[in-house]
Amino acid sequence: MNDSLTPRDKGNLPVLGAPPLIRLDAYVAEDGSTVVNGHLLDMGGTRPPNEAILDAVAMFARTLGAPVAATVIDRTAQQVARLRVLPDGSSRTIGEEEDLPPGRERTAAEEEAFPPLARVERIIQHAQREELHAAFVLASALREHLTLRRGAEDELSLEARAIEAYLAYLRGDYMLSTVLALTVARIRCRTDLNRAAPDVARATAAWQRLWDEGQVATRGQELLRMWERLSAAGLLQEASHHAMAQAVRSRLAQGGRSVPRGSAPAAAALTAGPGPGSGQVPAPVAPEDKPLKPTRRGLRRFTRRAGRPPGQSS
């Protein structure tokens, strides 16, 4: 079930005392699913994502009676667009140098207006209703914007990526789950080795479901190096972690044959999957993050003249 943005829903609006030009965020997934401020939009069949985003952001500007800034991560175009939208509905794209400075005060103000925890709770609600596509898209949007705003190694960014990996696993996309979970584990091994074992375990649980021999070998070798590093540091203190390390070693030695479904190590790792507020799940950019280029100033699909009716850009 999609969430709908309407002016009457006060939960979708910034707090009234928020600084001017709080930056809203929007996300377009590769399949065209569109998210604004943590809400999946109802696209109405054939509605283009850029029009849906402009309409939603213009609604905020009209409600607040002030210009609104927005950052759009568009995976269909592999671009980041930065917008200014006025109360009259007009909009334009701007260059990165014209955007709001990304300092800590600005980031804190934006996250106070649209708290990441509230978005996580919404993701969990979708997952509990078995709306896994909606939950996954919202998790991807959260992770993308937190990474852009805070960096890949930030604790909130890691948490969002771990949730995204877990949802990919639930959807049966084990390759993507492995990539995401391995990135979390890789960053954790680099920044906080003492907390890395559970993340390596989660990456191993997803890797155990892979069938592609090349991916099994490549990802497995990286996992094995992580387990060996943890072992050398004396950080393998749980029996399940010893078992998972041995499972990786054995599978690689046997030529990458798959581990039977429902194996104890995998089940243990998934039981310890990411949860809200656990604090246990969750700067160079993670290698799997595709770099996005900023849009050209004045890009037409995000430009709208004053007085144009909703659903029509210039």
Side-chain angles (χ1 to χ4, degrees):
M1 181 183 299
N2 290 342
D3 291 307
S4 175
L5 287 170
T6 68
R8 292 184 299 276
D9 186 348
K10 300 303 182 183
N12 291 338
L13 297 177
V15 294
L16 295 179
L21 281 178
I22 286 293
R23 187 193 292 107
L24 279 61
D25 59 76
Y27 173 74
V28 183
E30 292 180 354
D31 67 355
S33 299
T34 304
V35 178
V36 175
N37 291 326
H39 290 263
L40 189 63
L41 298 186
D42 185 348
M43 303 301 291
T46 59
R47 195 179 185 201
N50 63 304
E51 295 292 352
I53 290 169
L54 284 175
D55 290 347
V57 178
M59 180 273 291
F60 279 95
R62 287 194 300 272
T63 301
L64 296 174
V68 171
T71 298
V72 183
I73 295 176
D74 188 345
R75 279 293 171 187
T76 63
Q78 294 295 302
Q79 289 180 323
V80 176
R82 293 175 169 83
L83 316 178
R84 285 286 187 277
V85 182
L86 302 181
D88 63 8
S90 62
S91 64
R92 68 183 181 95
T93 55
I94 60 176
E96 188 170 5
E97 70 280 1
E98 296 180 75
D99 198 9
L100 301 171
R104 291 184 179 180
E105 290 185 5
R106 176 63 63 182
T107 296
E110 290 167 355
E111 292 180 1
E112 181 181 357
F114 302 103
L117 181 58
R119 302 190 187 199
V120 171
E121 291 172 349
R122 191 174 303 120
I123 291 166
I124 292 170
Q125 290 169 2
H126 280 289
Q128 289 173 337
R129 296 194 297 262
E130 298 186 356
E131 298 164 359
L132 295 181
H133 173 73
F136 179 77
V137 171
L138 293 177
S140 298
L142 179 61
R143 186 263 303 172
E144 291 260 19
H145 277 285
L146 286 174
T147 299
L148 182 67
R149 188 181 299 160
R150 290 171 162 264
E153 295 184 2
D154 177 81
E155 195 65 29
L156 286 177
S157 301
L158 284 176
E159 179 79 16
R161 193 184 297 269
I163 292 171
E164 187 183 14
Y166 184 58
L167 289 168
Y169 187 100
L170 293 179
R171 298 179 72 201
D173 192 341
Y174 302 126
M175 184 67 252
L176 180 57
S177 180
T178 300
V179 168
L180 291 165
L182 258 177
T183 302
V184 175
R186 188 182 304 121
I187 292 173
R188 189 73 77 192
C189 284
R190 183 170 63 246
T191 62
D192 191 356
L193 190 62
N194 290 327
R195 298 174 58 195
D199 294 302
V200 179
R202 295 182 188 108
T204 301
W207 171 83
Q208 287 177 320
R209 299 291 175 251
L210 297 183
W211 289 93
D212 182 271
E213 293 183 1
Q215 290 293 334
V216 168
T218 301
R219 307 291 181 178
Q221 289 293 339
E222 183 175 10
L223 282 169
L224 186 58
R225 288 193 294 271
M226 291 180 181
W227 285 121
E228 290 176 345
R229 184 180 174 192
L230 288 166
S231 179
L235 297 174
L236 292 188
Q237 300 175 0
E238 295 187 17
S240 62
H241 293 166
H242 282 284
M244 296 193 87
Q246 183 56 43
V248 173
R249 190 175 296 108
S250 298
R251 187 180 184 190
L252 291 175
Q254 295 170 11
R257 290 187 303 180
S258 63
V259 174
R261 178 177 289 275
S263 64
L270 290 175
T271 300
S278 66
Q280 298 176 354
V281 185
V285 174
E288 288 82 2
D289 287 339
K290 300 175 185 177
L292 296 175
K293 54 187 177 182
T295 57
R296 300 182 305 277
R297 187 181 290 106
L299 195 65
R300 290 182 61 84
R301 65 195 176 104
F302 284 115
T303 301
R304 180 182 286 171
R305 297 192 188 98
R308 300 281 290 195
Q312 294 186 26
S313 35
S314 300

